[in-house]
Coordinates of all heavy atoms in Angstrom, one line a residue:
R60 N -4.2 16.5 3.5 CA -3.4 16.1 2.3 C -4.3 15.9 1.1 O -5.3 15.1 1.2 CB -2.6 14.9 2.6 CG -1.5 15.0 3.7 CD -0.5 13.9 3.6 NE 0.2 14.0 2.3 CZ 0.7 12.9 1.6 NH1 0.4 11.7 2.0 NH2 1.3 13.1 0.5
G62 N -4.7 15.5 -3.4 CA -4.1 15.1 -4.6 C -3.4 13.7 -4.5 O -2.5 13.4 -5.3
I63 N -3.8 12.9 -3.5 CA -3.2 11.6 -3.3 C -4.1 10.5 -3.9 O -5.4 10.7 -3.9 CB -2.8 11.4 -1.9 CG1 -4.0 11.5 -1.0 CG2 -1.7 12.3 -1.5 CD1 -3.7 11.2 0.5
S64 N -3.6 9.4 -4.1 CA -4.4 8.2 -4.6 C -4.2 7.1 -3.6 O -3.1 7.0 -3.0 CB -4.0 7.7 -6.0 OG -4.2 8.7 -7.0
S65 N -5.2 6.3 -3.5 CA -5.1 5.2 -2.5 C -4.2 4.1 -2.9 O -4.2 3.7 -4.1 CB -6.5 4.5 -2.3 OG -6.4 3.4 -1.5
A66 N -3.4 3.5 -2.0 CA -2.5 2.4 -2.3 C -3.1 1.1 -2.0 O -2.4 0.1 -1.9 CB -1.2 2.6 -1.5
S67 N -4.5 1.0 -1.7 CA -5.1 -0.2 -1.4 C -5.5 -0.9 -2.7 O -6.3 -0.4 -3.5 CB -6.4 0.2 -0.5 OG -7.0 -1.1 -0.2
K89 N -8.8 0.0 -4.7 CA -8.9 0.9 -5.9 C -8.3 0.4 -7.1 O -8.4 0.9 -8.3 CB -8.3 2.3 -5.6 CG -9.0 3.0 -4.4 CD -10.4 3.2 -4.6 CE -11.1 3.9 -3.5 NZ -12.6 4.0 -3.6
L90 N -7.5 -0.8 -7.0 CA -6.9 -1.4 -8.1 C -6.9 -3.0 -7.9 O -6.6 -3.4 -6.8 CB -5.4 -0.9 -8.3 CG -4.6 -1.5 -9.4 CD1 -5.1 -1.0 -10.8 CD2 -3.2 -1.2 -9.3
L222 N 2.9 3.8 -16.6 CA 4.2 3.2 -16.3 C 4.2 2.4 -15.0 O 3.5 2.8 -14.1 CB 5.2 4.3 -16.2 CG 6.7 4.1 -16.2 CD1 7.1 3.5 -17.6 CD2 7.5 5.3 -15.9
S223 N 4.7 1.2 -15.0 CA 4.5 0.3 -13.9 C 5.8 -0.4 -13.5 O 6.6 -0.9 -14.4 CB 3.3 -0.7 -14.1 OG 3.6 -1.4 -15.3
W224 N 6.0 -0.8 -12.3 CA 7.0 -1.6 -11.7 C 6.6 -2.1 -10.4 O 5.6 -1.7 -9.8 CB 8.4 -0.9 -11.7 CG 8.5 0.2 -10.7 CD1 8.9 0.0 -9.3 CD2 8.2 1.6 -10.8 NE1 8.8 1.2 -8.7 CE2 8.4 2.2 -9.6 CE3 7.7 2.3 -11.9 CZ2 8.1 3.6 -9.4 CZ3 7.5 3.7 -11.6 CH2 7.8 4.3 -10.4
E226 N 7.6 -3.0 -6.2 CA 8.4 -2.6 -5.0 C 8.2 -3.8 -4.0 O 7.3 -3.9 -3.3 CB 8.0 -1.3 -4.4 CG 8.3 -0.2 -5.3 CD 9.7 0.3 -5.3 OE1 10.5 -0.4 -4.6 OE2 10.1 1.1 -6.1
I235 N 10.9 4.1 -1.5 CA 9.8 3.9 -2.5 C 9.3 5.3 -3.0 O 9.2 5.5 -4.3 CB 8.7 3.1 -1.9 CG1 9.1 1.7 -1.7 CG2 7.4 3.2 -2.9 CD1 8.1 0.8 -1.0
A236 N 9.0 6.2 -2.2 CA 8.6 7.5 -2.6 C 9.5 8.2 -3.5 O 9.2 8.9 -4.5 CB 8.2 8.4 -1.4
R238 N 11.8 6.9 -5.5 CA 11.8 6.2 -6.8 C 10.5 6.6 -7.6 O 10.6 6.9 -8.8 CB 11.8 4.7 -6.7 CG 13.2 4.2 -6.2 CD 13.3 2.7 -6.3 NE 12.7 2.0 -5.2 CZ 13.2 1.7 -4.1 NH1 14.4 2.0 -3.8 NH2 12.5 1.0 -3.2
I239 N 9.4 6.8 -7.0 CA 8.2 7.2 -7.7 C 8.4 8.6 -8.2 O 8.1 8.9 -9.4 CB 7.0 7.1 -6.8 CG1 6.7 5.6 -6.5 CG2 5.7 7.6 -7.5 CD1 5.7 5.4 -5.3
N240 N 8.9 9.5 -7.3 CA 9.2 10.8 -7.7 C 10.2 11.0 -8.9 O 10.1 11.8 -9.8 CB 9.6 11.6 -6.5 CG 8.4 11.9 -5.6 OD1 7.4 12.0 -5.9 ND2 8.8 12.0 -4.2
R243 N 8.5 9.9 -12.1 CA 7.6 11.1 -12.5 C 8.4 12.2 -13.1 O 8.0 12.7 -14.2 CB 6.8 11.6 -11.4 CG 5.8 12.7 -11.8 CD 4.9 13.2 -10.6 NE 4.1 12.1 -10.1 CZ 4.3 11.4 -8.9 NH1 5.3 11.7 -8.2 NH2 3.5 10.5 -8.6
Q247 N 7.9 10.4 -16.8 CA 6.6 10.8 -17.1 C 6.5 12.3 -17.5 O 5.8 12.6 -18.5 CB 5.7 10.6 -15.9 CG 4.2 11.0 -16.2 CD 3.3 10.8 -15.0 OE1 3.8 10.9 -13.9 NE2 2.0 10.6 -15.2
Q258 N 0.1 8.7 -18.6 CA -0.9 9.3 -17.8 C -0.7 8.9 -16.3 O -1.1 9.7 -15.4 CB -2.3 9.0 -18.3 CG -2.6 9.4 -19.7 CD -3.9 8.9 -20.3 OE1 -4.8 8.9 -19.6 NE2 -3.9 8.5 -21.5
K259 N -0.4 7.6 -16.0 CA -0.4 7.2 -14.7 C 0.9 6.4 -14.3 O 1.6 6.0 -15.2 CB -1.6 6.1 -14.5 CG -3.0 6.8 -14.9 CD -3.5 7.7 -13.8 CE -4.9 8.0 -14.0 NZ -5.5 9.0 -13.1
I260 N 1.1 6.3 -13.0 CA 2.3 5.5 -12.5 C 1.7 4.5 -11.5 O 1.0 5.0 -10.5 CB 3.4 6.3 -11.8 CG1 4.0 7.2 -12.8 CG2 4.3 5.5 -11.1 CD1 5.1 8.1 -12.2
Y261 N 1.8 3.2 -11.8 CA 1.3 2.2 -10.9 C 2.5 1.4 -10.3 O 3.2 0.9 -11.1 CB 0.3 1.3 -11.6 CG -1.0 1.9 -12.0 CD1 -1.2 2.1 -13.4 CD2 -1.9 2.3 -11.1 CE1 -2.5 2.6 -13.8 CE2 -3.2 2.8 -11.5 CZ -3.4 3.0 -12.9 OH -4.6 3.6 -13.2
V262 N 2.5 1.2 -9.1 CA 3.3 0.3 -8.4 C 2.5 -1.0 -8.2 O 1.9 -1.1 -7.1 CB 4.0 0.8 -7.0 CG1 5.0 -0.1 -6.5 CG2 4.6 2.3 -7.3
N263 N 2.5 -1.7 -9.2 CA 1.3 -2.7 -9.3 C 1.6 -4.0 -8.6 O 0.9 -5.1 -8.7 CB 0.8 -3.0 -10.7 CG 1.9 -3.3 -11.7 OD1 3.0 -3.4 -11.3 ND2 1.5 -3.4 -12.9
I265 N 3.3 -4.5 -4.4 CA 4.1 -3.9 -3.3 C 4.1 -5.0 -2.2 O 3.1 -5.9 -2.2 CB 3.5 -2.7 -2.7 CG1 2.1 -2.8 -2.3 CG2 3.7 -1.6 -3.8 CD1 1.5 -1.6 -1.5
Y280 N 5.0 0.3 3.6 CA 4.8 0.2 2.2 C 3.7 1.2 1.8 O 3.7 1.9 0.8 CB 4.4 -1.2 1.8 CG 5.7 -2.0 1.4 CD1 6.1 -3.0 2.3 CD2 6.2 -1.9 0.1 CE1 7.3 -3.8 2.0 CE2 7.3 -2.7 -0.2 CZ 7.8 -3.7 0.7 OH 8.9 -4.4 0.3
L281 N 2.6 1.1 2.5 CA 1.4 2.0 2.2 C 1.7 3.5 2.3 O 1.3 4.3 1.4 CB 0.2 1.7 3.1 CG -0.4 0.2 2.9 CD1 -1.4 0.0 3.9 CD2 -1.0 0.0 1.4
Y282 N 2.5 3.8 3.4 CA 2.9 5.2 3.6 C 3.7 5.7 2.5 O 3.4 6.8 2.0 CB 3.6 5.2 5.0 CG 4.2 6.6 5.3 CD1 3.3 7.5 6.0 CD2 5.5 6.9 5.0 CE1 3.9 8.8 6.2 CE2 6.0 8.3 5.2 CZ 5.2 9.2 5.8 OH 5.6 10.5 6.1
Y283 N 4.8 5.0 2.1 CA 5.7 5.5 1.1 C 5.2 5.6 -0.3 O 5.5 6.3 -1.1 CB 7.0 4.9 1.3 CG 7.8 5.3 2.5 CD1 8.0 4.6 3.7 CD2 8.4 6.6 2.5 CE1 8.7 5.0 4.7 CE2 9.0 7.1 3.6 CZ 9.3 6.4 4.7 OH 9.9 6.8 5.7
T284 N 4.4 4.5 -0.5 CA 3.7 4.5 -1.8 C 2.7 5.7 -2.0 O 2.7 6.4 -3.0 CB 2.9 3.2 -2.1 OG1 3.9 2.1 -1.9 CG2 2.3 3.1 -3.4
E285 N 1.9 5.9 -1.0 CA 1.1 7.2 -1.0 C 1.9 8.5 -1.0 O 1.5 9.4 -1.8 CB 0.1 7.1 0.2 CG -0.9 8.2 0.3 CD -1.7 8.2 1.6 OE1 -2.5 7.3 1.8 OE2 -1.6 9.2 2.4
L286 N 3.0 8.5 -0.2 CA 3.8 9.7 -0.2 C 4.3 10.0 -1.5 O 4.5 11.2 -1.9 CB 4.9 9.5 0.9 CG 5.8 10.8 1.1 CD1 5.0 11.9 1.8 CD2 7.0 10.4 2.0
G287 N 4.7 9.0 -2.3 CA 5.2 9.2 -3.7 C 4.1 9.6 -4.7 O 4.4 9.9 -5.8
R288 N 2.8 9.5 -4.2 CA 1.7 9.9 -5.1 C 1.6 9.0 -6.3 O 1.2 9.4 -7.4 CB 1.7 11.4 -5.5 CG 1.6 12.2 -4.3 CD 1.7 13.8 -4.6 NE 1.7 14.7 -3.5 CZ 0.5 15.1 -3.0 NH1 -0.6 14.8 -3.4 NH2 0.6 15.8 -1.9
A289 N 1.8 7.7 -6.1 CA 1.5 6.7 -7.1 C 0.0 6.7 -7.3 O -0.8 7.0 -6.4 CB 2.0 5.3 -6.7
D290 N -0.4 6.4 -8.5 CA -1.7 6.3 -8.9 C -2.5 5.1 -8.5 O -3.7 5.0 -8.7 CB -2.0 6.6 -10.4 CG -1.5 8.0 -10.9 OD1 -2.2 9.0 -10.6 OD2 -0.4 8.1 -11.5
G291 N -1.7 4.1 -8.0 CA -2.4 2.9 -7.6 C -1.3 1.9 -7.2 O -0.2 1.9 -7.7
A292 N -1.7 0.8 -6.4 CA -0.8 -0.2 -6.0 C -1.6 -1.5 -5.7 O -2.8 -1.3 -5.5 CB -0.1 0.2 -4.8
A293 N -0.9 -2.5 -5.8 CA -1.5 -3.9 -5.5 C -0.6 -4.7 -4.6 O 0.6 -4.8 -4.9 CB -1.8 -4.6 -6.8
Y335 N -6.0 1.8 7.2 CA -5.5 2.7 6.1 C -6.7 3.1 5.3 O -6.8 4.4 5.0 CB -4.6 1.8 5.1 CG -4.2 2.6 3.9 CD1 -3.1 3.5 4.0 CD2 -4.9 2.5 2.7 CE1 -2.7 4.3 2.8 CE2 -4.5 3.2 1.6 CZ -3.4 4.1 1.7 OH -3.0 4.8 0.6
F339 N -8.2 7.2 4.7 CA -7.7 7.7 3.4 C -8.4 9.0 3.0 O -7.8 10.0 2.6 CB -7.7 6.7 2.3 CG -7.3 7.3 0.9 CD1 -5.9 7.4 0.7 CD2 -8.2 7.6 0.0 CE1 -5.5 8.1 -0.4 CE2 -7.8 8.3 -1.1 CZ -6.4 8.4 -1.4

Side-chain angles (χ1 to χ4, degrees):
R60 291 200 68 216
I63 56 176
S64 298
S65 173
S67 181
K89 299 303 179 185
L90 181 69
L222 197 63
S223 57
W224 70 88
E226 292 285 354
I235 292 173
R238 287 190 283 269
I239 297 170
N240 288 328
R243 180 178 296 107
Q247 183 184 26
Q258 302 173 39
K259 304 285 186 180
I260 293 177
Y261 292 110
V262 187
N263 53 6
I265 61 171
Y280 271 102
L281 295 171
Y282 174 87
Y283 283 105
T284 303
E285 181 183 297
L286 184 66
R288 297 180 183 270
D290 293 290
Y335 176 84
F339 176 76

